Structures are given as structure tokens and as C-alpha cells.
Amino acid sequence: MTSRTAADVLVIGAGPAGMLAADRLAQGGARVLLVDAGRVHTSRICPVDRGKSCHGCRGICNVISGFGGSIHYGDGVKLSRFPSGRRLAELLGAERADALTDEVLERMCGVAWPTFRRALAHSTALAVKDYPVASLNSDQVRVVINRLHARLARTERVTLRLGVEVTELQPDDQAGFIARLQAPGVDEQVAARYVVSAVGRRGQRWWATQIRRLGLAHTAPTPSVGLRFEAPLGLLRRGALVHDDFKTTLVRHGVKVKTFCFCAGPGGGRIKFTDYGDHTLLDGHVIPEAGTSQLGNFALLAQLRDEHGSPRSAEWVEEYLLRPYRSLRSDRPGKPVLQWYPDWRDKQLTCSSLEDFAQRAGHAPSLSDYQVANLAAILPNAVHTAMRAVFEELMPVFAGHPLEADQAERIAVIGLELESLWDELALSEHMETSFPGLYAAGDCTGLAQGILQAAVAGLAAADHVLATTTVPVPLGGST
């Protein structure tokens, strides 16, 4: 039998956007149902971090699902203030965006705000994006998530449901929206006057389907393919001295390439696996604790466009990137692979195992769940050529001197990474979609990535919901 409940607002996703939206809504008197497909923050363990293999966590990846979302319990994270997330700031207005950021920091951190640092002026000939960035260590992240969990647990106006997926979302003339929630032993309908979608990476495919089914106004994204370069910290440290999140964009050989998620501070960086079921992609987390790792990493992302300059479609990405990617591993198709940099540069495969790589590079990679494969072979030729040119241009900046042949031999190229897969929604300045009563916040807007940016969008959506209605929706019972 299907049970039926009701709430003023259904918030889908308990990451930064969903948590802050639920907190604000409850404070304003709304009854909120906050749901997430993942687990409680204290149970989001990634086996890869512990030297084991990625097994998908029974289909609910602990890295991209669960309470906290991208603020992964026990990892370091970066917080970037506007103008990082420029398009979101333009939508909200700069003054309002900054004010909401301050409020997010107060709700997340209390009075113990982290220290934000900007880029060093005139430190490189490259145009480095300048915005304030701060790194939280693992202890600070635990404090933030515990603080937010306690805030939500203290109020009876928020019902937190973990391990539950929203499988259907339908407009309803009387209730506003009817959502179907499912989990082992659970089949439930929820009536909600408003919905805030904050689904994050875990819900990317589901949300793309909903956008089209509901007819939400949007434009297709320009996807990017990425690779992560892992190297001894000494080869990357000068980049971190310029900016904690060194970001620059270069166009080489007609391809737009940018640096992404630079993780090479005092403690190095941690490569993360994010499992999507039939394939696993990479992410990167900073480690602020000095001396933790002797390796750092950063990603290069290359835009995917056809010969006429039009963005590649999701179907093209599946056919020409994900399908070849899944063929690279014989043991577990779709899991990340590693290639020795000289081999990647020359599009060959002379280094054929992790043991061989360790001998040639002089160190083992930070994670062990790889097979060695010809990652370069699945990239479009123009993308490979542009990435190589940008890498060879950046490394002297990061290392402080031209890259010697023996230093190039110490570098691993790891993939695959994909970014900018979200449709860009047409949103009001209150984060309302083209369907009245349906809001979006965080990555699923297609506007901006970042923890603070997602949380700011969640607050903006909640503020408008509270300003729109003063009459609570009566809570229903079970049927």
C-alpha cells in the first residue's frame, strides 16, 4: 500500500543547497521534507580512500550521495567566494550575493570563519582568476556538517529522510506537486506546495529527464572532458603559492582548456572516485593538513565542440567518450585508468602496470584502484593536442622552471573526468524555474559550482518561497 504525506516544501538533496534551504525554510515557519538517496554523514565511507576497490556502494556512491553532499565528512574542502560563480552572482545581484554568502558562512561556521586568500598580484604572466578562497581541513569539515545536522535536528519543522530516492515528480492542480519516494520497503507519495531541487551530481541524469518532461526552459550545456595530473608536490607548489585554487583558461589549437580543482597546497591533494553506476569519474579534494601527502594533482578540462563550434551532445559524449572509456579496463569496465605521462604525451603504452609505473616514476600513485591503459587513445585528436600544449605551458609556472625529462617521468595522467553536463536553466532572480513553485539550487542549475554558491542559491530559493506564501499547507496523514 502506498502511503501519502504532505509538506509545505519538498527539498530534494541534502547537500549544501538543500541543507541551507531547509534550515531557512524551517526558521520561517514552513514544514519541510528533506530527502536524500544517500546515507548519514558519519557512514559515508569511501573504500578507495582506504586502499580498497570501488564497488559502487550498492548503487548509492558515498562520495556524491548522503547528508553533506559535496561537503564530504572527513575530507578537506575549498570554499570560494564570488566572483567565483559569476553567472549566479549576476542573476542574484552582486550585493545580494555577497550578503547571502556572509549568512551562509555564519550558518555553517558560526563565528569561526575561515581565512580567505586571493591571488598574488603580478605573480605569473598567465591570467589567473582572482577570487577569495579558503580551505577547511578535515576537522573543520566535521564541525561544519555536525553543526548543520544539529540545526536541522533541533526543529520539528524539518523531517530528514535518508536512503530515499525521489523517482517521480508530477505537477498537481490542488497540491502543487506530487512526488513519489522509494526505498527498500518504502513506496510513498508526498504532496508539496513547493519543491526545491538540489539534487547534485547523484541526480544529474534524473534531473535532465525531469527538465525535459516538465518542459522547463533551459539551454544545453557545453560539456568538457577532463584528465587529472598527479605529480610530486615540488612540481606543483609554486602554483599553489600564486592561488590556492589556481584557475586559468587558455585556447590552444582551437580548443578551450582550463585548469580545474587545483589540489597542491601544504598537504597535497586527494583524488576521489565518484560512481555513477555504469562508469566512475574523478574528482579532487584538497588536503590542508601539512605533510599529509607528498603528491598533488590538478585537472585540465577541454571543451567539447564539433567542427562548427557547436557543443557536443550528451549522446555524443556517451558514444565517443564513455563507451570507449568503459572498454579500457578488462577487470571492471568504466573504472578510472592511469597512464604514465610520457606515454600519454606520445599516445602509446610502454608502461603497462602500476608496478611498472612506480619503478619508472619513483613513487606509487596515491590510490591503487587503477589499471594502466592508453587513456590518450580515447580523446579526440584536437583535444589531446590542446591539452598537451596547455600542460607543457603550465608546468614551468607550477614548478618554477622548465620541466626536465626526468621530472616528466614522475607524472601520472588519470581519467576520466567530465564536467559541465548540466543543462543551464532559465531562472528568476529567486532561483525559480519556468515552472511556478519549482526551484533549483546548486549544480543542477547549470549556473555555478561550489559549496558556497550552492548554499547561497538554496537560501535565495527559500527566501522567495517564504515571501510567496504565509499560509502553511496542512500536513496530511497516511492512506
Side-chain angles (χ1 to χ4, degrees):
M1 181 179 296
T2 301
S3 63
R4 184 177 176 116
T5 58
D8 296 343
V9 189
L10 170 65
V11 180
I12 310 173
M19 291 187 296
L20 271 293
D23 185 34
R24 168 79 97 202
L25 288 162
Q27 185 184 39
R31 295 279 183 174
V32 183
L33 177 60
L34 174 61
V35 301
D36 194 284
R39 301 167 178 85
V40 69
H41 51 292
T42 52
S43 297
R44 290 177 58 194
I45 306 302
C46 178
V48 179
D49 292 348
R50 299 187 171 190
K52 299 180 181 179
S53 297
C54 173
H55 53 72
C57 293
R58 299 187 299 279
I60 308 292
C61 174
N62 280 340
V63 174
I64 53 173
S65 302
F67 188 85
S70 60
I71 318 176
H72 196 266
Y73 198 69
D75 264 355
V77 300
K78 284 178 183 171
L79 303 177
S80 57
R81 294 191 63 130
F82 296 106
S84 178
R86 171 185 55 82
R87 288 182 296 168
L88 178 61
E90 290 172 351
L91 180 68
L92 299 174
E95 184 175 344
R96 179 172 170 234
D98 284 338
L100 286 172
T101 302
D102 288 346
E103 185 167 353
V104 166
L105 286 168
E106 188 280 327
R107 288 172 182 257
M108 288 175 54
C109 305
V111 297
W113 287 21
T115 299
F116 286 84
R117 191 172 78 93
R118 300 190 76 114
L120 297 177
H122 310 298
S123 53
T124 174
L126 297 174
V128 178
K129 294 182 180 179
D130 186 17
Y131 53 86
V133 62
S135 297
L136 301 186
N137 63 36
S138 57
D139 289 337
Q140 291 171 311
V141 168
R142 290 187 183 94
V143 170
V144 166
I145 299 181
N146 287 334
R147 177 186 177 87
L148 289 171
H149 190 271
R151 284 181 70 102
L152 295 173
R154 279 196 299 265
T155 173
E156 294 182 354
R157 294 187 176 276
V158 175
T159 300
L160 174 62
R161 300 278 299 280
L162 298 173
V164 176
E165 294 200 65
V166 177
T167 58
E168 297 177 16
L169 182 62
Q170 300 284 350
D172 184 86
D173 291 339
Q174 293 184 332
F177 297 90
I178 300 293
R180 186 174 186 181
L181 276 56
Q182 291 187 304
V186 174
D187 189 352
E188 181 179 354
Q189 284 189 341
V190 174
R193 181 174 292 177
Y194 303 97
V195 172
V196 178
S197 176
V199 294
R201 290 174 178 259
R202 172 63 171 78
Q204 190 266 327
R205 287 177 168 177
W206 178 83
W207 183 235
T209 300
Q210 303 311 305
I211 287 172
R212 286 150 181 79
R213 192 180 59 77
L214 294 170
L216 304 186
H218 70 282
T219 56
T222 302
S224 294
V225 61
L227 302 175
R228 199 158 284 273
F229 296 80
E230 185 171 73
L233 270 180
L235 296 180
L236 302 177
R237 187 156 304 189
R238 283 182 179 266
L241 294 177
V242 173
H243 196 276
D244 289 340
D245 192 21
F246 191 107
K247 281 188 179 178
T248 190
T249 300
L250 301 170
V251 178
R252 298 292 181 265
H253 302 280
V255 178
K256 184 176 181 180
V257 181
K258 69 176 182 179
T259 57
F260 187 74
C261 195
F262 189 85
C263 302
R270 176 181 288 114
I271 291 180
K272 304 291 292 185
F273 282 22
T274 58
D275 187 80
Y276 292 85
D278 59 0
H279 62 274
T280 299
L281 302 177
L282 296 178
D283 199 358
H285 286 212
V286 68
I287 308 176
E289 295 89 338
T292 301
S293 172
Q294 295 305 308
L295 297 173
N297 67 81
F298 67 96
L300 289 182
L301 297 177
Q303 277 193 351
L304 295 169
R305 295 181 179 272
D306 64 19
E307 59 275 13
H308 305 293
S310 299
R312 293 294 189 182
S313 66
E315 292 75 18
W316 188 96
V317 171
E318 171 63 35
E319 178 68 21
Y320 294 100
L321 280 176
L322 286 176
R323 182 176 291 182
Y325 174 54
R326 285 191 286 266
S327 72
L328 291 178
R329 285 189 69 156
S330 58
D331 61 338
R332 285 174 299 136
K335 299 298 182 186
V337 299
L338 176 147
Q339 190 170 14
W340 187 43
Y341 175 74
D343 279 354
W344 179 85
R345 177 192 61 207
D346 299 332
K347 302 185 75 170
Q348 62 182 0
L349 197 62
T350 67
C351 177
S352 58
S353 69
L354 292 184
E355 293 76 15
D356 192 8
F357 170 83
Q359 184 174 2
R360 299 190 192 204
H363 62 85
S366 60
L367 299 178
S368 59
D369 191 19
Y370 303 119
Q371 272 194 353
V372 172
N374 194 347
L375 188 57
I378 71 170
L379 298 177
N381 288 330
V383 167
H384 179 267
T385 301
M387 275 191 171
R388 175 180 169 179
V390 169
F391 178 84
E392 292 175 352
E393 192 170 340
L394 285 172
M395 285 308 296
V397 176
F398 293 162
H401 54 75
L403 193 65
E404 302 292 341
D406 62 332
Q407 292 173 325
E409 293 175 353
R410 306 197 68 194
I411 298 170
V413 186
I414 308 168
L416 201 61
E417 192 153 344
L418 290 171
E419 294 291 341
S420 302
L421 301 178
W422 297 98
D423 297 306
E424 183 176 334
L425 290 171
L427 298 167
S428 75
E429 68 271 25
H430 307 296
M431 309 309 296
E432 191 171 19
T433 71
S434 59
F435 198 104
L438 177 59
Y439 296 77
D443 283 1
C444 70
T445 64
L447 288 180
Q449 291 180 304
I451 290 169
L452 293 184
Q453 289 71 19
V456 161
L459 284 188
D463 281 345
H464 193 247
V465 170
L466 293 172
T468 302
T469 181
T470 57
V471 182
V473 176
L475 290 177
S478 301
T479 60

